[in-house]
Amino acid sequence: MTREDFSDAVELPVDTMAALERAAGSHRHEVLFSNRAFHIKQSAVRDVFDISIRPGLISLAGGSPYLHSLPLEELGRTAQRIIADHGLEALQYGGGQGMEELRRQACEVMAAEGILDADPADIVITTGSQSAQDVAAKVFCDPGDVILCEDPTYVGALNAFEAYEVDVRTVPMDDGGLVPDALEQRIRELRAEGKTIKLLYTIPSFNNPSGVTLTAGRRQAVVEICRRNNILILEDNPYGLLRFDGEPLAPMRAGNPQDVLYLGSFSKIFAPGVRLGWALVPRHLYRRFYLACEAVVLCPSPLTQMLVSAYLREYDWMGHVRSSRTLYAERCSSMLAALEAQMPEGVSWTRPDGGFFIWVTLPEGVDTYPLLYEAIDAGTVFIPGAAFTPGEGPSNKLRLAFSAVSPEDITEGVRRLAPILRAAVDAAKVR
């Protein structure tokens, strides 16, 4: 049995795996890796993204926004003007907190979501919201501390948290999102184990990957539970404005400025390539969070900040959001219709009212990871569910994304996927 076979067969402690990898290292420098380095994993989403560019493959994997409706020629002229007229500022170092105009504009975006009391002085512009997740784990968590999260949750956050040797524990969800009673129960169990719980990481609106939304009635209940237990909420809300009916649910931060550290992103309402987001930090926590951000990224790019500011100032960005809602709603409907028409009995899925994703559940005993390779051979691709939960066990779930795929390709992609899932369901019945 090889070392890889052994580690597949037996779940080993990270320290033991680190020692084995060091011993098997082919270069003398590999013994220099820290134990923390062995908590950093290759993202399954990134692996599939690399596969998704193959010609003829219909990707139902990537949660990418649709960018074709952006005024690209006009934006090109705007970028040219920024460099020509303000190049010495745009191409120079900037402040670590981010430009004041963009921080004010982030407050305007949050006001459209229902946060009416945000102060630009409490905002840090970040390199996307994932860098803020990384900083939150660094600032608040010692090795072994617990971060609670929904099950399932965003794979990028899991990778960021686990790199800091955090103990990520899950809380069950149902069709109404995170279950408050289950949250209280999990907290009691962890306290009985002697665990220290620092954060609850949540994507309350159109959870990635499930598409499920935490109901308005549960949001304050979750905040109250965390307040009683001195747990800070890390609210990640990249999809909040993309509710199909155009009526965003108020974020948990809206009425709870002391108890919620709020993360926003320009990736879904403008473009992910600008790599900009923001953190609205409770004032009493701001200084250390800001210093940690500055220690990682000396300053967010002035050039991309100025481009995003110009877009929010000079273009109809809310009009783009409204048209995006309509487009995503149509594509979601196409995927739901295709699933209804093609999926075998025993397969179920979520019905999101916003965002980018649908979560598909197969019968117990089916592992969706091996099915990925069959799907690729059939000309389509998805993300296996195991990527979205801590631990190494198999999952009978998978994520499908509809945001960047035409209705015709959605229908064809589901048609290609259906026989693979049907065969897996049939095989599970006879086991």
Side-chain angles (χ1 to χ4, degrees):
M1 176 181 283
T2 67
R3 178 173 58 89
E4 289 79 9
D5 292 335
F6 181 72
S7 64
D8 286 343
V10 180
E11 187 170 335
L12 297 174
V14 170
D15 289 349
T16 304
M17 284 301 301
L20 287 170
E21 291 196 31
R22 285 191 180 101
S26 58
H27 193 284
R28 59 190 173 85
H29 286 160
E30 293 188 15
V31 302
L32 304 180
F33 281 125
S34 68
N35 285 337
R36 178 178 291 124
F38 294 92
H39 289 263
I40 302 171
K41 302 172 184 176
Q42 172 70 23
S43 167
V45 175
R46 179 56 54 199
D47 289 340
V48 173
F49 274 8
D50 293 341
I51 294 167
S52 297
I53 62 174
R54 293 183 185 178
L57 196 70
I58 295 175
S59 176
L60 304 178
S64 302
Y66 184 78
L67 301 182
H68 294 274
S69 57
L70 287 173
L72 297 179
E73 290 188 13
E74 292 87 344
L75 284 168
R77 288 191 289 270
T78 297
Q80 182 183 36
R81 187 185 75 242
I82 289 170
I83 293 176
D85 296 347
H86 305 282
L88 293 179
E89 182 183 4
L91 301 176
Q92 188 55 273
Y93 291 115
Q97 187 179 11
M99 292 182 168
E100 183 178 357
E101 181 181 14
L102 188 56
R103 288 185 281 116
R104 288 199 310 268
Q105 290 167 320
C107 292
E108 295 170 7
V109 173
M110 287 185 284
E113 298 170 341
I115 299 173
L116 304 178
D117 62 348
D119 187 332
D122 298 329
I123 289 176
V124 184
I125 299 298
T126 61
T127 307
S129 63
Q130 187 162 336
S131 69
Q133 297 158 17
D134 182 280
V135 168
K138 178 192 295 185
V139 167
F140 293 106
C141 295
D142 294 312
D145 285 348
V146 171
I147 295 180
L148 297 171
C149 67
E150 293 143 337
D151 189 12
T153 195
Y154 172 49
V155 60
L158 290 175
N159 291 342
F161 299 154
E162 289 170 353
Y164 290 100
E165 302 171 85
V166 170
D167 187 0
V168 181
R169 299 291 188 99
T170 59
V171 180
M173 302 172 69
D174 61 18
D175 291 341
L178 192 75
V179 180
D181 289 345
L183 174 61
E184 288 197 289
Q185 177 65 26
R186 180 72 78 216
I187 293 169
R188 285 194 296 269
E189 292 168 353
L190 290 167
R191 291 274 163 81
E193 293 178 26
K195 290 287 189 177
T196 300
I197 308 169
K198 293 290 186 68
L199 301 173
L200 168 65
Y201 172 73
T202 176
I203 310 168
S205 293
F206 329 121
N207 167 277
N208 177 3
S210 71
V212 170
T213 293
L214 181 63
T215 63
R218 288 185 182 181
R219 295 189 177 212
Q220 192 59 35
V222 169
V223 174
E224 296 294 341
I225 292 168
C226 289
R227 181 183 292 137
R228 288 196 300 271
N229 289 279
N230 198 30
I231 298 168
L232 181 66
I233 294 175
L234 189 62
E235 181 178 18
D236 194 6
N237 195 36
Y239 312 99
L241 284 174
L242 299 180
R243 190 177 181 88
F244 298 152
D245 67 5
E247 298 294 333
L249 292 182
M252 288 186 282
R253 166 56 181 77
N256 302 283
Q258 301 299 309
D259 300 291
V260 179
L261 198 165
Y262 179 89
L263 307 182
S265 175
F266 297 109
S267 293
K268 308 305 187 293
I269 62 173
F270 179 30
V274 298
R275 303 311 309 132
L276 288 177
W278 70 91
L280 175 62
V281 186
R283 188 160 297 176
H284 60 287
L285 302 173
Y286 182 86
R287 181 174 178 273
R288 292 192 184 277
F289 189 90
Y290 160 69
L291 291 174
C293 286
E294 193 177 54
V296 175
V297 179
L298 182 63
C299 63
S301 164
L303 176 59
T304 53
Q305 287 184 81
M306 293 171 77
L307 179 60
V308 174
S309 278
Y311 175 70
L312 296 173
R313 183 179 64 247
E314 300 171 12
Y315 294 79
D316 182 13
W317 70 272
M318 272 303 301
H320 176 67
V321 168
R322 286 190 291 270
S323 65
S324 296
R325 288 170 183 156
T326 300
L327 179 132
Y328 297 144
E330 291 171 350
R331 293 181 173 191
C332 181
S333 294
S334 295
M335 182 168 280
L336 291 172
L339 291 169
E340 194 69 46
Q342 297 287 343
M343 288 296 108
E345 185 178 352
V347 177
S348 61
W349 50 89
T350 57
R351 298 179 177 274
D353 50 10
F356 288 1
F357 307 111
I358 291 174
W359 189 235
V360 178
T361 301
L362 279 69
E364 292 292 337
V366 176
D367 182 1
T368 58
Y369 205 100
L371 304 183
L372 172 61
Y373 303 99
E374 298 180 42
I376 292 168
D377 289 340
T380 191
V381 64
F382 60 85
I383 305 290
F388 302 100
T389 192
E392 303 293 336
S395 171
N396 63 326
K397 302 174 188 298
L398 60 91
R399 189 190 79 178
L400 300 178
F402 51 79
S403 53
V405 193
S406 70
E408 296 76 18
D409 281 349
I410 287 171
T411 301
E412 175 61 17
V414 172
R415 187 196 67 78
R416 295 177 184 181
L417 180 60
I420 295 162
L421 302 190
R422 187 174 297 110
V425 170
D426 290 344
K429 291 177 180 176
V430 301
R431 281 201 288 268

